[in-house]
Amino acid sequence: MRIQVLGGFGGESLQCRMTCLLINGKIALDAGSLSQVLSIEQQVDVHTILLSHSHMDHVNSLPFFIENVYGKSEKAIDIHASAATVYSIRKYLFNNATWPDFTRLPNHLLPAMLFHEMESEVPLVIDGVTFTPIPVDHLIPTHGFLIEQNGSAVIWSSDTGPTSRLWEIANRTPNLRAICIDTSFDNALQPIADVSYHLTPQTLETELRKLQKKVPVLLHHLKPPCVGRIQEEVRKLRNPDLEFLEQGKEYSF
Ligand SMILES: [Zn+2]
Ligand SMILES: [Zn+2]
């Protein structure tokens, strides 16, 4: 499978775009930067979006993406998310006050977007790619995903503090090629990381003790003001399996 990193950060600045992956050019995982990175034609190719949770750095481009593809896509854009995420997005984003309700435009029978509620650990197969939502530990209900195609598997989790199920699934997945995980704040901001349920290099190091296999661990969702300090602290861990997920790069697994 091809995984293109459109946005690899937990916030926005000149160099940092918000969390968003594009899988095989057609399926988006989170929607932090679809409209900022892709041409309109490339956006029209995206027919499905899976969301980890409803925070702004993960859904930011959704309103503008929907507007850009409106009337150009053959059918409604499918949006898969947990019941809690669907509720929040309907109530706070596509509520006609913040942005029009595109589940009723142009009309409710043929809408521009359709929400589908996903369940923890119930796999979804989309275009031959299997996505299994894994519950993680964040401020609000949030999922990481086990992504599988043609015998290779990747685990991608964005926002989470110390967690357990993700590592259990990583340990039991035989053909796991990589794990992508949150490293939002530097160690000095540990109290903020703790109350907001994110990881720092030091809590990441503790988390990695739960991983019983050797695979590349790709770090992402760095908060833009913390990037330099996080990179320095991760270097000091001297763990050869740790890399940073590279924004703009296309990975093949
Ligand atoms: Zn986030
Ligand atoms: Zn979040």
Side-chain angles (χ1 to χ4, degrees):
M1 72 187 102
R2 292 182 295 117
I3 299 185
Q4 197 179 338
V5 184
L6 305 186
F9 293 87
E12 191 173 50
S13 69
L14 274 181
Q15 293 82 22
C16 302
R17 291 191 293 267
M18 291 179 273
T19 307
C20 195
L21 300 184
L22 187 62
I23 294 158
N24 299 334
K26 308 267 188 192
I27 304 166
L29 195 46
D30 277 348
S33 45
L34 281 172
S35 56
Q36 296 94 322
V37 177
L38 299 178
S39 67
I40 302 276
E41 292 71 30
Q42 289 169 322
Q43 290 176 56
V44 172
D45 282 341
V46 178
H47 55 66
T48 301
I49 300 173
L50 294 98
L51 298 175
S52 62
H53 66 309
S54 59
H55 279 160
M56 276 299 282
D57 50 327
H58 302 260
V59 301
N60 165 278
S61 67
L62 206 46
F64 314 109
F65 162 80
I66 290 293
E67 195 171 64
N68 288 342
V69 304
Y70 186 82
K72 299 185 184 70
S73 297
E74 285 171 17
K75 57 189 243 342
I77 304 298
D78 291 311
I79 310 224
H80 297 267
S82 69
T85 301
V86 171
Y87 174 85
S88 297
I89 288 174
R90 278 185 173 285
K91 183 164 184 192
Y92 300 112
L93 194 55
F94 293 99
N95 57 5
N96 289 320
T98 309
W99 204 248
D101 178 2
F102 277 90
T103 63
R104 295 185 172 274
L105 288 171
N107 62 67
H108 71 285
L109 295 174
L110 290 166
M113 63 194 284
L114 262 182
F115 285 111
H116 307 273
E117 290 184 8
M118 64 185 195
E119 302 278 346
S120 294
E121 300 193 30
V122 176
L124 293 163
V125 182
I126 301 161
D127 286 356
V129 186
T130 304
F131 296 87
T132 306
I134 308 167
V136 291
D137 290 84
H138 190 40
L139 212 51
I140 56 172
T142 301
H143 287 92
F145 292 88
L146 170 65
I147 310 164
E148 298 170 285
Q149 188 180 33
N150 299 333
S152 71
V154 172
I155 285 182
W156 177 88
S157 169
S158 187
D159 306 20
T160 188
T163 193
S164 54
R165 191 63 184 142
L166 187 89
W167 303 115
E168 288 169 13
I169 290 178
N171 290 335
R172 75 167 195 208
T173 301
N175 46 1
L176 189 65
R177 300 283 202 83
I179 299 180
C180 307
I181 193 151
D182 175 297
T183 311
S184 291
F185 295 104
D186 57 87
N187 291 335
L189 296 178
Q190 191 64 54
I192 293 171
D194 290 343
V195 295
S196 59
Y197 291 78
H198 285 293
L199 297 175
T200 61
Q202 64 194 4
T203 43
L204 169 74
E205 190 184 26
T206 310
E207 283 298 287
L208 289 173
R209 291 182 200 141
K210 302 173 189 170
L211 180 64
Q212 293 157 4
K213 57 175 66 176
K214 196 170 164 54
V215 289
V217 177
L218 307 172
L219 311 178
H220 72 120
H221 198 273
L222 284 65
K223 295 288 181 183
C226 304
V227 169
R229 285 188 297 273
I230 294 173
Q231 287 172 338
E232 184 58 35
E233 289 167 2
V234 167
R235 249 194 309 275
K236 285 182 183 158
L237 295 178
R238 297 187 182 282
N239 179 338
D241 299 330
L242 294 180
E243 300 167 33
F244 290 95
L245 189 70
E246 213 176 301
Q247 183 178 278
K249 183 171 169 176
E250 183 174 283
Y251 292 80
S252 288
F253 294 105

